[in-house]
């Protein structure tokens, strides 16, 4: 559906106006305290906040998508993503003021739809980057200034994590009978040992399917220790890291008569951080290649998934975004991800998660 010129112009002006407004960051602790009492009044306040906050965040990304270097903005996949952002901006801006419970429920349904609309943003952007790489003649021929695209994608995906967290949290607070200790998307007593176990089981299942066998995963730490965190975020990060370790070990020992050594996960609870170390003996990464792990431009997988997203996050190699995106998830709540490698031996990934929950969202 093509909007008529004046309508499109009006929307563009509106996007520019909202994109210039200041964003308001929230902390994990605030989301937890606020969501602990999901009364009608609080849900109304939450919807009113999102009605004002989401268009600012979405408009910023729409403006970004329009001004990318090296012609990335004109790639069909990127135009598709930009249209999703513009549609969502329009949906929220044209939604009347949220004044009562019925408005609030209708608003919640609408932002739920928006979340679904944006489900495949990451693979679709990956496709756009792939199209650009082809145009530029592959990674060898990258022009200077290509880093700008990496920085844009970091900002873009970080902002997407924030938007999805805010929408997901608001929607989840409507759950009629939440699990004990769960506030929206936040588990107030999340066991990192249990999370490591679940992520390892999932990653080993994929490794089994792809290679016919999988190294063991040994987990060390205090099984009774818990802390407040967003369970799907932790699962996603752990799954990616364990999957990479399993793949490295599996490929190194595949044709060897030696027994594949296990991947080791160690959970430490410090006063400030919960740190999870994932160690493998998969041969490591050369130092010259370490910085590339965190970029979106040197994917090891040649073909990103098709746009229907049927195979999102299923293959062992994926489309090379697992590590940089995991680092963004860690940083979103004040943590970080570091990777230390010993070439010829193996790799250690340190996942730091802030225990205090009071660092504000990084907003760009």
């Amino acid at each position: 559906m093509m909007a008529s010129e004046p309508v499109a112009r009006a929307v563009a002006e509106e996007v520019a106006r909202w994109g210039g407004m200041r964003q308001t960051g929230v902390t994990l602790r605030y989301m937890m305290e606020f969501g602990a009492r999901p009364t009608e009044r609080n849900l109304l306040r939450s919807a009113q906040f999102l009605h004002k906050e989401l268009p600012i965040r979405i408009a910023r990304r729409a403006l970004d998508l329009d001004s990318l270097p090296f012609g990335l903005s004109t790639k069909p996949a990127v135009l598709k993503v930009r249209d999703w952002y513009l549609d969502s901006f329009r949906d929220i801006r044209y939604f009347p003021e949220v004044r009562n419970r019925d408005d609030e429920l209708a608003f919640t349904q609408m932002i739920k739809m928006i979340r679904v609309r944006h489900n495949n943003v990451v693979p679709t952007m990956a496709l756009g980057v792939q199209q650009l790489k082809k145009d530029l003649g592959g990674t060898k021929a990258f022009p200077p200034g290509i880093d700008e695209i990496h920085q844009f994608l970091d900002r873009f995906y970080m902002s997407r994590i924030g938007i999805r967290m805010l929408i997901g949290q608001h929607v989840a607070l409507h759950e009629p009978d939440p699990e004990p200790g769960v506030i929206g998307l936040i588990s107030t007593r999340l066991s990192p040992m249990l999370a490591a176990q679940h992520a390892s089981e999932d990653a080993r299942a994929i490794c089994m399917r792809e290679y016919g066998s999988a190294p063991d995963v040994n987990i060390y730490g205090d099984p009774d220790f818990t802390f407040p965190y967003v369970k799907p975020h932790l699962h996603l990060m752990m799954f990616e890291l364990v999957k990479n370790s399993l793949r490295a070990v599996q490929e190194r020992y595949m044709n060897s008569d030696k027994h594949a050594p296990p991947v080791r996960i160690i959970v430490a609870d410090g006063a400030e951080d919960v740190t999870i170390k994932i160690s493998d003996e998969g041969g490591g990464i050369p130092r010259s290649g370490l910085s590339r792990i965190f970029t979106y431009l040197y994917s090891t997988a040649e073909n990103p998934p098709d746009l229907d997203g049927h195979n999102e996050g299923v293959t062992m190699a994926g489309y090379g975004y697992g590590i940089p995106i995991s680092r963004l998830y860690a940083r979103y709540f004040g943590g970080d991800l570091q990777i230390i490698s010993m070439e010829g031996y193996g790799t250690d990934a340190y996942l730091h998660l802030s225990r205090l929950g009071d660092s504000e969202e990084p907003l760009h």
Side-chain angles (χ1 to χ4, degrees), residues 4 31-32 48 56 79 94 100 116 205 252 309 312 337 359 362:
S4 65
M31 280 191 236
M32 212 158 68
Q48 287 161 346
I56 301 176
L79 290 170
Y94 291 154
N100 56 38
V116 171
R252 190 182 189 201
E312 192 174 351
L337 170 62
S359 83

Side-chain angles (χ1 to χ4, degrees), residues 10 49 55 63 74 95 104 109 122 134 174 184 212-213 233 252 260 262 271 287 289 292 305-306 335 345 353:
F49 168 71
L63 292 172
T74 61
F95 194 92
E104 191 275 320
Q109 280 311 111
V122 177
K134 235 197 226 100
H174 289 75
S213 68
H233 288 193
R252 190 182 189 201
R287 215 155 37 109
R292 292 184 173 193
D306 58 19
Y345 179 73
L353 306 170

Side-chain angles (χ1 to χ4, degrees), residues 16 72 85 106 165 188-189 197 202 233 239 250 312 322:
L72 183 57
Y85 273 77
M165 179 68 204
T188 57
R189 295 189 294 275
Q197 197 184 319
D202 287 0
H233 288 193
F239 172 73
Q250 191 63 32
E312 192 174 351

Side-chain angles (χ1 to χ4, degrees), residues 15-184:
V15 166
R17 193 167 71 82
W18 279 80
M21 294 182 194
R22 238 188 98 230
Q23 306 172 90
T24 307
V26 291
T27 65
L28 183 67
R29 178 176 297 177
Y30 177 77
M31 280 191 236
M32 212 158 68
E33 287 169 359
F34 182 87
R37 298 173 307 282
T39 56
E40 221 171 277
R41 186 166 162 270
N42 273 350
L43 289 174
L44 194 62
R45 277 175 57 204
S46 170
Q48 287 161 346
F49 168 71
L50 293 181
H51 196 205
K52 210 164 72 225
E53 181 66 16
L54 291 174
I56 301 176
R57 296 193 184 195
I58 289 169
R60 287 199 169 209
R61 301 294 70 94
L63 292 172
D64 258 358
L65 284 165
D66 253 348
S67 53
L68 297 174
F70 306 108
L72 183 57
S73 291
T74 61
K75 298 283 167 275
V78 178
L79 290 170
K80 191 173 188 172
V81 172
R82 192 202 60 180
D83 284 346
W84 290 337
Y85 273 77
L86 289 176
D87 287 348
S88 299
F89 177 81
R90 263 195 301 255
D91 286 350
I92 301 175
R93 283 295 300 126
Y94 291 154
F95 194 92
E97 210 181 322
V98 182
R99 292 164 188 262
N100 56 38
R101 181 155 189 266
D102 288 347
D103 295 350
E104 191 275 320
L105 290 173
F107 179 80
T108 302
Q109 280 311 111
M110 187 245 329
I111 59 174
K112 220 172 169 171
M113 292 286 297
I114 286 177
R115 195 162 182 235
V116 171
R117 173 187 291 145
H118 291 250
N119 273 351
N120 282 329
V121 161
V122 177
T124 311
M125 283 302 288
L127 200 70
V129 171
Q130 212 75 351
Q131 289 163 347
L132 175 71
K133 263 163 69 169
K134 235 197 226 100
D135 289 359
L136 294 173
T139 48
K140 300 276 181 293
F142 276 171
I146 198 85
D147 281 1
E148 216 182 307
I149 287 180
H150 169 74
Q151 285 149 10
F152 154 74
L153 287 169
D154 252 353
R155 278 199 314 274
F156 183 76
Y157 292 138
M158 179 67 94
S159 169
R160 178 174 183 268
I161 291 170
I163 290 169
R164 292 182 85 74
M165 179 68 204
L166 292 181
I167 293 178
Q169 181 66 4
H170 180 81
V171 169
L173 288 176
H174 289 75
E175 191 61 50
D177 38 23
E179 284 177 56
V182 172
I183 298 172

Side-chain angles (χ1 to χ4, degrees), residues 104 146 150 203 236 255 279 281 310 322 326 341 362:
E104 191 275 320
I146 198 85
H150 169 74
L236 179 142
N255 303 317
S279 295
E281 295 172 37
H310 293 317
S326 294
S341 184

